[in-house]
């Protein structure tokens, strides 16, 4: 992957409430590949919203890979999944490619447009298989002590202190159905969703200027009404903050007598 994109994204989001549609471009003077990471921010960590988000991600994981990598052959690395930074969650899509990020942005958006139909027409048995697979993954015991440490430390560093997160969220998962996932799509992912908050990081390769991509590439961001971030500090100054993350349990309840 292109290393600069991850640090840039973390620097821009943290616990900020994102504006509707923005993108930030940086040059990659080392690698020949370009890269895009698009984040669709959801909001603060909660058991129910986490599970709807994770189920949505579970359903789209294989189709995203099949469409963007296998069928469209956009790049060798294609990834989609949940992102959690400082207790603020979102859905992310990453593609590393020889094509320019603005073109990749268009193809990602076109794929996501089809997601609602995919979920709506999915057989009930398949939906239940996705729920079961997600539940098994969450309840799987860490195979290494380091993995167990990471899970515990993430609760401490985020100040959530939800040390029984997997069991609590898996129980919440059983209450979620197709209508909840479709509502999630309509609220946060659909192009005209009222709660849609998207931030993309574009890493442009050293040879990108020499490529002759489709003319659509240059029109993509205007089509999706996305504004470019020029000055990152100024951008951050204009954002509001989410409230401080509240612990899942009272600290005094964790004290041993």
């Amino acid at each position: 992957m292109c290393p600069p994109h991850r640090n840039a994204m973390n620097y821009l989001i943290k616990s900020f409430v994102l504006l509707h549609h923005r993108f930030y471009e940086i040059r990659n003077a080392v690698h020949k590949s370009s890269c895009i990471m698009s984040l669709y921010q959801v909001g603060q960590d909660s058991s129910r919203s986490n599970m709807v988000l994770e189920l949505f991600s579970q359903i789209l994981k294989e189709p995203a890979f099949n469409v963007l990598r296998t069928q469209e052959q956009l790049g060798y690395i294609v990834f989609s999944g949940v992102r959690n930074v400082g207790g603020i969650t979102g859905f992310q899509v990453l593609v590393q490619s020889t094509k320019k990020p603005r073109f990749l942005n268009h193809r990602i958006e076109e794929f996501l447009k089809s997601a609602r139909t995919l979920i709506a027409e999915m057989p009930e048995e398949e939906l239940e298989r996705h729920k079961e697979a997600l539940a098994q993954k969450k309840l799987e015991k860490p195979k290494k002590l380091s993995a167990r440490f990471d899970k515990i430390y993430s609760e401490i560093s985020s100040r959530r202190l939800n040390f029984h997160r997997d069991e609590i969220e898996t129980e919440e998962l059983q209450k979620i159905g197709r209508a909840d996932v479709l509502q999630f799509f309509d609220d946060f992912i659909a192009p005209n969703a009222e709660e849609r908050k998207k931030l993309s990081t574009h890493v442009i390769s050293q040879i990108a200027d020499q490529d002759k991509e489709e003319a659509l590439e240059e029109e993509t961001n205007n089509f999706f009404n996305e504004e470019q971030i020029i000055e990152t500090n100024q951008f951050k100054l204009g954002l509001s903050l989410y409230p401080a993350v509240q612990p899942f349990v009272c600290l005094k309840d964790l004290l041993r007598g």
Side-chain angles (χ1 to χ4, degrees), residues 44-244:
Q44 284 190 298
D45 166 278
S46 76
S47 298
R48 181 171 180 78
S49 67
N50 289 352
M51 283 297 89
V52 178
L53 168 60
E54 289 191 34
L55 182 56
F56 175 80
S57 175
Q58 167 77 21
I59 292 171
L60 258 64
K61 188 176 184 66
E62 186 174 339
F65 186 86
N66 288 340
V67 172
L68 299 176
R69 185 183 185 280
T70 306
Q71 295 179 23
E72 300 196 17
Q73 299 183 352
L74 296 181
Y76 182 73
I77 295 177
V78 174
F79 169 81
S80 65
V82 175
R83 187 176 181 87
N84 188 324
V85 179
I88 309 303
T89 64
F91 177 72
Q92 65 178 347
V93 182
L94 181 148
V95 179
Q96 180 175 313
S97 173
T98 57
K99 297 183 181 298
K100 294 181 183 178
R102 295 194 184 192
F103 177 71
L104 299 175
N105 179 61
H106 173 76
R107 299 317 306 158
I108 290 170
E109 289 289 347
E110 287 300 307
F111 165 73
L112 289 177
K113 283 182 183 179
S114 68
R116 197 184 199 287
T117 301
L118 172 69
I119 297 167
E121 297 180 354
M122 176 178 292
E124 192 65 30
E125 297 80 6
E126 186 175 352
L127 180 62
E128 290 301 317
R129 284 198 296 271
H130 280 296
K131 291 176 64 174
E132 181 62 27
L134 179 56
Q136 290 180 1
K137 182 169 63 175
K138 292 191 70 66
L139 294 176
E140 183 179 6
K141 300 298 181 183
K143 294 182 173 61
K144 296 182 179 180
L145 183 60
S146 59
R148 178 169 173 75
F149 169 82
D150 288 342
K151 294 186 73 170
I152 294 174
Y153 184 72
S154 68
E155 296 296 334
I156 296 172
S157 62
S158 68
R159 301 182 181 181
R160 278 295 274 161
L161 308 180
N162 188 0
F163 297 112
H164 300 286
R165 177 182 297 274
D166 292 334
E167 293 79 5
I168 293 171
E169 291 188 343
T170 301
E171 184 177 346
E172 189 66 35
L173 174 63
Q174 306 311 315
K175 306 173 187 177
I176 294 170
R178 186 194 310 270
D180 299 302
V181 184
L182 290 174
Q183 188 63 55
F184 170 86
F185 177 89
D186 292 339
D187 289 343
F188 299 103
I189 307 297
N192 297 320
E194 290 187 5
E195 296 297 321
R196 191 183 210 251
K197 294 185 280 288
K198 175 187 173 184
L199 175 65
S200 292
T201 301
H202 298 181
V203 180
I204 304 174
S205 79
Q206 59 179 329
I207 62 171
D209 291 338
Q210 302 172 19
D211 294 339
K212 293 183 179 180
E213 294 294 342
E214 294 85 338
L216 177 62
E217 220 174 273
E218 301 304 325
E219 303 172 2
T220 298
N221 288 99
N222 289 333
F223 180 79
F224 291 107
N225 195 28
E226 298 181 2
E227 297 181 28
Q228 183 173 0
I229 300 169
I230 304 298
E231 173 51 54
T232 56
N233 287 330
Q234 193 65 33
F235 168 71
K236 292 172 67 177
L237 286 172
L239 299 178
S240 57
L241 285 169
Y242 281 101

Side-chain angles (χ1 to χ4, degrees), residues 2-26:
C2 304
H5 77 271
R6 190 171 298 275
N7 290 335
M9 181 71 81
N10 284 341
Y11 173 75
L12 287 172
I13 59 174
K14 293 295 183 181
S15 297
F16 291 105
V17 181
L18 294 178
L19 299 175
H20 290 293
H21 310 113
R22 297 293 180 94
F23 70 99
Y24 177 62
E25 290 186 343
I26 55 178

Side-chain angles (χ1 to χ4, degrees), residues 19-47:
L19 299 175
H20 290 293
H21 310 113
R22 297 293 180 94
F23 70 99
Y24 177 62
E25 290 186 343
I26 55 178
R27 290 281 170 174
N28 172 16
V30 179
H31 302 284
K32 293 183 178 180
S33 294
S34 293
C35 186
I36 181 173
M37 175 181 277
S38 292
L39 172 72
Y40 302 81
Q41 192 180 70
V42 175
Q44 284 190 298
D45 166 278
S46 76
S47 298

